[in-house]
């Protein structure tokens, strides 16, 4: 179960009962209590619930009914987002050849790619703890974790140690994610601590494959990672604007629409 799906189910439980304990949520979702605590901290910071001692409640002043329509609409959107990312992950995994060294970026799509690479004779380099969890018990995949400071809520390793480690890496390709692709072709991100690592991943790789669903056009973010003219391949979905995709094609990049 991916992060957003689990968090949706946490909100759903609060809508049904108004409150829930960490233990109840952990048992209902079949995950550890520490995982639930991380989810609750993130949801509280995002204003979606209020963290309490031992659990969480709906935001003060909100009612179960008030949240109902929002959840129904959000769940549809989130499920659609999962579907888009799953299609992208399928196409990405199909690009990987045996014996290759690949970098899996921080993001919510790359763990789905990792799922599809289980059992492959490849080397995977990552700073994503979610990717690590997908491949940690796979004896076929050589797994290289970059160092750095743990961002527990985002399950990533960031900072100068991760950037330094990437200077020692030579990869065949990187699967890069972003939070937005501007109409002018700029690929952007909204996480200041992640942007330098993503740029270091680009520098360490022979080929750059951008994973960006239609929802990322134009998306959000102000930190420029690269341009579509810099990527070797783009995997996207059917709703991405043709004019923007043409920037990649015209620069010689391969565009795959799934």
């Amino acid at each position: 179960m991916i992060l957003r799906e689990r968090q949706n189910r946490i909100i759903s439980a609060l809508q049904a009962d108004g409150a829930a304990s960490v233990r109840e949520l952990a048992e209902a979702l079949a995950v550890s209590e520490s995982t639930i605590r991380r989810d609750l901290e993130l949801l509280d910071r995002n204003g979606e619930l209020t963290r309490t001692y031992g659990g969480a409640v709906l935001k003060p002043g909100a009612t179960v009914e008030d949240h109902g329509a929002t959840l129904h609409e959000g769940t549809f959107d989130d499920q659609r987002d999962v579907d888009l990312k799953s299609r992208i992950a399928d196409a990405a995994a199909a690009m990987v050849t045996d014996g290759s060294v690949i970098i899996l970026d921080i993001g919510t799509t790359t763990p789905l790619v990792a799922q599809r690479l289980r059992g492959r004779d490849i080397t995977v380099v990552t700073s994503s703890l979610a990717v690590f969890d997908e491949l940690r018990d796979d004896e076929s995949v050589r797994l290289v974790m970059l160092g750095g400071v743990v961002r527990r809520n985002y399950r990533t390793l960031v900072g100068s140690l991760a950037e330094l480690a990437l200077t020692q890496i030579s990869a065949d390709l990187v699967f890069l994610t972003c939070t937005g692709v501007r109409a002018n072709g700029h690929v952007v991100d909204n996480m200041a601590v992640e942007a330098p690592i993503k740029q270091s991943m680009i520098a360490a790789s022979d080929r750059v494959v951008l994973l960006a669903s239609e929802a990322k056009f134009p998306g959000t973010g102000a930190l420029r990672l690269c341009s579509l003219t810099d990527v070797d391949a783009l995997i996207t979905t059917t709703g991405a604007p043709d004019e923007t995709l043409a920037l990649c094609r015209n620069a010689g990049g391969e565009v795959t629409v799934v």
Side-chain angles (χ1 to χ4, degrees):
M1 186 184 303
I2 67 172
L3 176 63
R4 190 62 240 187
E5 180 185 354
R6 189 171 63 244
Q7 291 178 346
N8 285 338
R9 291 181 62 179
I10 290 172
I11 296 296
S12 181
L14 295 182
Q15 290 170 342
D17 301 323
S21 70
V22 169
R23 177 173 297 180
E24 290 169 342
L25 292 169
E27 291 176 354
L29 300 180
V31 296
S32 68
E33 293 187 11
S34 60
T35 295
I36 294 296
R37 290 190 189 96
R38 289 194 296 269
D39 289 343
L40 295 181
E41 289 169 5
L42 181 58
L43 289 167
D44 179 74
R45 193 163 63 245
N46 291 343
E48 297 180 68
L49 53 73
T50 297
R51 188 80 163 86
T52 63
Y53 180 77
V57 298
L58 291 178
K59 292 173 61 178
T63 66
V64 174
E65 290 77 11
D66 289 338
H67 281 266
T70 301
L71 176 74
H72 177 74
E73 183 176 278
T75 301
F76 176 81
D77 290 341
D78 289 332
Q79 183 56 51
R80 182 170 178 271
D81 193 45
V82 170
D83 293 340
L84 295 178
K85 291 177 180 180
S86 294
R87 282 151 50 190
I88 288 174
D90 288 338
M95 296 180 65
V96 177
T97 59
D98 287 347
S100 61
V101 177
I102 69 168
I103 298 176
L104 289 182
D105 187 14
I106 296 165
T108 56
T109 304
T110 48
L112 299 178
V113 178
Q115 288 178 6
R116 290 151 174 81
L117 294 176
R118 291 173 181 161
R120 298 286 301 276
D121 178 22
I122 57 173
T123 299
V124 172
V125 182
T126 190
S127 61
S128 166
L129 296 176
V131 168
F132 170 75
D133 283 343
E134 294 292 344
L135 298 174
R136 64 192 301 174
D137 297 321
D138 192 321
E139 296 183 0
S140 299
V141 176
R142 290 172 292 281
L143 186 57
V144 179
M145 290 299 298
L146 301 170
V149 178
V150 177
R151 297 179 77 213
R152 290 180 176 84
N153 289 334
Y154 293 93
R155 303 185 67 202
T156 58
L157 298 168
V158 298
S160 58
L161 288 177
E163 294 173 51
L164 181 62
L166 281 162
T167 65
Q168 306 301 309
I169 298 293
S170 178
D172 294 298
L173 63 85
V174 56
F175 286 120
L176 182 73
T177 66
C178 65
T179 59
V181 182
R182 298 283 182 248
N184 63 4
H186 289 175
V187 179
V188 297
D189 200 85
N190 60 12
M191 290 287 184
V193 294
E194 293 181 5
I197 297 173
K198 291 173 181 281
Q199 291 166 337
S200 296
M201 289 177 172
I202 292 171
S205 305
D206 291 339
R207 298 186 71 226
V208 178
V209 181
L210 178 63
L211 310 180
S213 75
E214 61 201 60
K216 301 297 177 67
F217 294 81
T220 61
L223 303 170
R224 182 176 172 183
L225 303 177
C226 63
S227 293
L228 286 181
T229 54
D230 300 320
V231 306
D232 299 285
L234 165 64
I235 304 177
T236 188
T237 51
T238 53
D242 290 336
E243 319 82 69
T244 309
L245 300 185
L247 297 174
C248 184
R249 291 192 180 100
N250 293 340
E254 173 189 345
V255 177
T256 301
V257 180
V258 295

